[in-house]
Amino acid sequence: MSLLQPFNKLPSLNTANILLVENEEQFQQSLADALVEESSVIVNVRLAKSLPVPTENETSRPRIDLVVFIINLTSELSFESAEASLKYLDCGYFLGKVCFLVTNARSVSVPAERLDAVRKLAALFHCPLLFVEDQTADGVASAAERLLTILKVAAGHVPITTSLYMSILAQCTVPPDIDQPSFD
Amino acid sequence: MGDATKRLLQRLIRRTRIQMLKTTLEKWDRLTLAQRQSMVFIQSKSAITEKLLSICEENEWTVKHIAELEMIHVMDNPNQGMWYAFRLMDPEDDAHSVELMQFKEQFKSLLHELVRHVSVKIKKHADEAIWIRIAWGDGFSQPNHLKPTYVVHYLQTPFVFVTSITSKQKPLLSQALTVSTRHQDLKNANLSGRKLTAIRDLLMQQYPQVFPTNFPGHTAENNQMESNPRRVKEQAGLEADRLRMAHKAFGDGMLPELESAVYELETKFNGHANGTMTDREQPFRCVVKFTSTNLLESLRQCASSGIVSTVTPLFSSIPRSGKNYFVITNKSHGSSSKTSNITEPQILDSKD
C-alpha cells in the first residue's frame, strides 16, 4: 500500500502541482480547467476519484503540493469516500498541504449532522475548509482563485510564508457547542 | 349530426394542442379552402371548438370521419398512453408471404365475424407499420368510439403493439390477428411503456447494437492524448475499464428511452437480521420498480461512473431480451432445502 509522500521528489521551477480528489468526478473537471489558466505559475492538475492513486503513475507523477478533497454535501457516499481516502496520505501532508472543499452546502436536503461531521473532520486534521459554489462560472472562478492562494503558499512561491504558518491561520475550528442542538 | 360525433370531436380538440391540431387538420385534408381560411388558430380552444363543430355540421361528417382524424393524430403522436408489446408465435409456412391487402381483408372480416358491432380502420404508416383502430361494440350496442384500441403491427415480423384493450377484448383481437397473419398464438412479450418508439426500437433492436469483439478499439486512450497535458487523470486505466464494461452491456450509441423496469421477486428471504422471516418456507414476495426518463442511459451511466461495480445480469437482460418485466425465483436444488445456503436467483419469463 503506497502512501502519497509530500517531500520524496524534487520540485520544478515555477511550478505548482495540485491533486483534486472527488468521488463524483464532476466539479473537478471545471475546476481543473480554471486552475490551468493561471499565468503567473505553471499549475499541473491531477484528477482522481479516490485514493490510493495507482502505482503505475509513480514515476510520471510530480511532487504534489496540495491535496484537495471535494465533498458534495448532498451525498453521503461522497463524504465517506473522502474519509476513506484520507488514510492513504502520508502524515506530512496534514501540516497544511491538505484542504477540504465543500459544495452544495446551501441545499435544503443536506442534514445538519453531515455538515457538522465534515467540520469535525477538517478540525481534527487542522485543515482549512472552504465552501464553494460549483454551478456557475463565477463560482468556479472564485473557487479556483481561493485554491490558488493556498496552493502558492503550499508550493513555496510566497516568501516568508510556509503552509504550516498558513494552516494555523486558516484551519477549520469547531465551536465548543457543536454537539448541542441548534435553535432553528 | 350525432351526439357521439360531437363528443368525439370535442374530446379530440380538448386533448390536443392548437399547433398540433392545425397540422393534423391539414394532413386530414377534408376542409374546403374557404373553411380552412375561416379557421383562425390564434383564438381560444372553446372558440375553435365552436368553429369546428359548425364546419362539421356543414360538411355532414359522421363518426367515422372524426375517427379518421383521431387516428391521424395518434399516428403522429404515438408516445402517449400505455403500449403493451406482444409476440406472434409458431408461424405457419406461408407466414412470411402475408401481403398487406390480404391481411387487411382477412382481419376485417374475421373481426366482423367475431363481434357483431365493431368498427375497424386500417392505415399504413410511412415506415411500413400497419396501424389498426378498433372501436368495440357488442351484440346490442353500437361501437364505442370513445375507447378505441390501437394496434401497430409490422407485417412479416412477429411483433405487435397494442394500447387500451380490456381483458374481454384481448382474446378476440388475438384470434383475428393470429389467423390473418398465419401464426398459432399471440403471447405477451413482457414489455410495456408509454413511448411506442422506445419499446419498438428495443424489441426490434433498431438501436446501435453491441457486438462482441476480441480486439476493441482504443478510443478512450486517443481522447486522453488530445486533452491538456497539464491536466492528468490519475486513475485513467480504471475509468477506461468501467467505460468498457458499461459499453459491453449497453453499447455506446443512443439507447431507446425506456421508462420503467419491474422485477417481481419470489425468492426466499435471505437477510440475517430477522429470524422469523428466514425460517418461513414460502417465498418472500416483493416487487422492485425502477423508473427514469431514460432508464437504459441511467443504468449505463451507473456502470461507467462506478456507482455500480459490475453490470448484473438483471440489468443487462433488459436490452438483451427486450423485456422490462421479470420474475425472479430461486433455482431449485434436488437436495434438501434445510441448508441455509443462498441459492442463485434466476430470471424466468413471467406467467402467461
Side-chain angles (χ1 to χ4, degrees):
Chain A
M1 185 169 73
S2 64
L3 297 176
L4 200 59
Q5 304 274 354
F7 294 115
N8 62 345
K9 296 189 192 182
L10 293 173
S12 350
L13 205 54
N14 205 25
T15 318
N17 306 309
I18 186 172
L19 172 66
L20 300 175
V21 181
E22 185 192 5
N23 188 261
E24 287 87 20
E25 296 183 303
Q26 291 273 11
F27 181 40
Q28 61 181 196
Q29 315 272 359
S30 41
L31 194 56
D33 289 330
L35 283 168
V36 168
E37 281 170 16
E38 170 67 15
S39 50
S40 60
V41 160
I42 300 174
V43 181
N44 289 324
V45 183
R46 313 283 285 192
L47 305 172
K49 189 173 152 92
S50 63
L51 298 177
V53 281
T55 47
E56 298 89 53
N57 298 345
E58 191 64 41
T59 44
S60 64
R61 190 183 314 132
R63 182 179 93 159
I64 301 286
D65 296 313
L66 183 65
V67 180
V68 180
F69 289 97
I70 303 178
I71 299 180
N72 185 346
L73 267 191
T74 50
S75 147
E76 182 70 26
L77 184 60
S78 184
F79 174 54
E80 283 174 10
S81 157
E83 218 180 350
S85 305
L86 281 170
K87 44 181 180 297
Y88 295 100
L89 280 182
D90 182 71
C91 47
Y93 269 107
F94 293 105
L95 298 172
K97 287 179 180 287
V98 173
C99 175
F100 286 91
L101 216 62
V102 170
T103 62
N104 282 336
R106 280 188 280 200
S107 164
V108 178
S109 56
V110 173
E113 302 83 35
R114 202 174 293 158
L115 181 55
D116 285 346
V118 175
R119 288 179 92 169
K120 281 190 199 164
L121 187 68
L124 184 65
F125 290 105
H126 303 289
C127 302
L129 178 64
L130 301 181
F131 292 88
V132 294
E133 200 255 292
D134 60 337
Q135 304 287 339
T136 62
D138 278 340
V140 175
S142 78
E145 216 179 290
R146 291 156 80 189
L147 270 185
L148 274 168
T149 352
I150 306 182
L151 177 62
K152 283 185 196 168
V153 173
H157 293 296
V158 181
I160 317 179
T161 322
T162 65
S163 47
L164 194 50
Y165 279 165
M166 265 266 303
S167 73
I168 297 171
L169 295 173
Q171 69 183 320
C172 179
T173 51
V174 292
D177 59 348
I178 193 169
D179 285 321
Q180 318 240 325
S182 60
F183 281 106
D184 50 21
Chain B
M1 198 175 80
D3 199 33
T5 320
K6 245 194 254 184
R7 266 193 293 159
L8 190 59
L9 185 58
Q10 279 169 339
R11 193 182 75 160
L12 181 61
I13 301 173
R14 197 172 57 230
R15 282 187 181 177
T16 64
R17 290 201 290 255
I18 295 183
Q19 196 51 37
M20 203 85 271
L21 193 57
K22 182 163 181 229
T23 39
T24 315
L25 281 172
E26 271 168 29
K27 264 206 193 138
W28 192 41
D29 206 22
R30 278 188 193 258
L31 294 168
T32 64
L33 190 59
Q35 285 166 342
R36 237 179 303 157
Q37 281 168 350
S38 68
M39 291 269 335
V40 180
F41 285 97
I42 317 177
Q43 298 161 332
S44 67
K45 271 235 180 124
S46 47
I48 293 180
T49 319
E50 291 292 326
K51 196 87 190 46
L52 267 176
L53 279 173
S54 63
I55 295 180
C56 187
E57 289 265 3
E58 253 179 70
N59 293 357
E60 285 173 18
W61 287 334
T62 63
V63 113
K64 291 213 164 117
H65 294 114
I66 311 293
E68 195 184 4
L69 179 64
E70 192 200 52
M71 190 167 177
I72 294 177
H73 173 72
V74 174
M75 279 169 73
D76 284 336
N77 301 299
N79 293 336
Q80 286 165 354
M82 261 323 256
W83 289 90
Y84 299 91
F86 291 91
R87 202 184 262 266
L88 292 161
M89 308 295 294
D90 303 326
E92 289 166 25
D93 295 328
D94 52 350
H96 292 290
S97 56
V98 175
E99 260 193 307
L100 178 60
M101 294 313 298
Q102 179 193 3
F103 170 78
K104 267 167 96 158
E105 282 163 19
Q106 250 198 328
F107 185 78
K108 276 192 180 163
S109 63
L110 273 166
L111 213 52
H112 279 284
E113 262 177 58
L114 287 170
V115 186
R116 186 96 154 275
H117 289 124
V118 71
S119 163
V120 182
K121 250 195 204 330
I122 305 188
K123 255 191 194 320
K124 182 156 170 290
H125 196 54
D127 63 351
E128 305 301 319
I130 302 179
W131 281 71
I132 309 173
R133 180 187 193 272
I134 308 173
W136 305 89
D138 55 18
F140 307 102
S141 57
Q142 288 297 313
N144 180 2
H145 279 275
L146 292 173
K147 293 201 166 97
T149 300
Y150 282 95
V151 179
V152 179
H153 174 52
Y154 287 81
L155 261 190
Q156 290 151 14
T157 66
F159 306 115
V160 180
F161 304 96
V162 185
T163 171
S164 12
I165 191 164
T166 67
S167 51
K168 288 213 187 91
Q169 297 156 353
K170 184 164 166 293
L172 305 167
L173 176 67
S174 163
Q175 182 160 3
L177 264 176
T178 48
V179 177
S180 49
T181 56
R182 307 266 190 280
H183 285 80
Q184 298 278 7
D185 195 15
L186 186 72
K187 218 170 84 140
N188 192 351
N190 288 331
L191 178 64
S192 62
R194 306 204 62 185
K195 296 196 172 169
L196 175 65
T197 43
I199 61 175
R200 181 199 65 205
D201 288 342
L202 185 68
L203 193 55
M204 297 177 53
Q205 298 191 323
Q206 284 173 354
Y207 59 96
Q209 292 285 301
V210 182
F211 295 105
T213 60
N214 275 332
F215 304 101
H218 294 279
T219 43
E221 285 172 27
N222 289 340
N223 287 344
Q224 175 66 11
M225 307 286 233
E226 285 152 19
S227 67
N228 200 333
R230 288 211 242 141
R231 206 192 112 145
V232 177
K233 285 201 177 160
E234 287 280 341
Q235 290 146 333
L238 286 176
E239 192 177 321
D241 281 343
R242 286 201 303 260
L243 205 60
R244 214 185 11 247
M245 175 185 73
H247 283 175
K248 204 166 82 147
F250 294 105
D252 58 349
M254 287 274 297
L255 287 164
E257 288 170 26
L258 202 57
E259 292 192 340
S260 68
V262 175
Y263 295 90
E264 214 177 272
L265 298 173
E266 280 178 22
T267 55
K268 272 182 72 71
F269 190 84
N270 273 328
H272 298 292
N274 200 331
T276 45
M277 290 297 289
T278 337
D279 286 339
R280 288 222 185 124
E281 280 302 320
Q282 305 107 316
F284 178 66
R285 293 173 159 266
C286 165
V287 174
V288 179
K289 183 168 181 183
F290 291 89
T291 50
S292 159
T293 42
N294 190 343
L295 186 69
L296 292 173
E297 181 64 43
S298 55
L299 288 176
R300 181 166 67 183
Q301 289 204 359
C302 270
S304 66
S305 67
I307 297 178
V308 180
S309 53
T310 53
V311 182
T312 70
L314 291 172
F315 289 152
S316 58
S317 54
I318 301 178
R320 210 165 25 99
S321 61
K323 294 188 192 184
N324 69 353
Y325 177 75
F326 299 95
V327 175
I328 304 175
T329 63
N330 288 120
K331 229 185 261 193
S332 52
H333 291 292
S335 55
S336 96
S337 55
K338 297 277 186 189
T339 55
S340 60
N341 291 333
I342 298 175
T343 49
E344 285 269 326
Q346 71 169 12
I347 301 175
L348 287 186
D349 289 334
S350 88
K351 316 138 195 151
D352 101 1

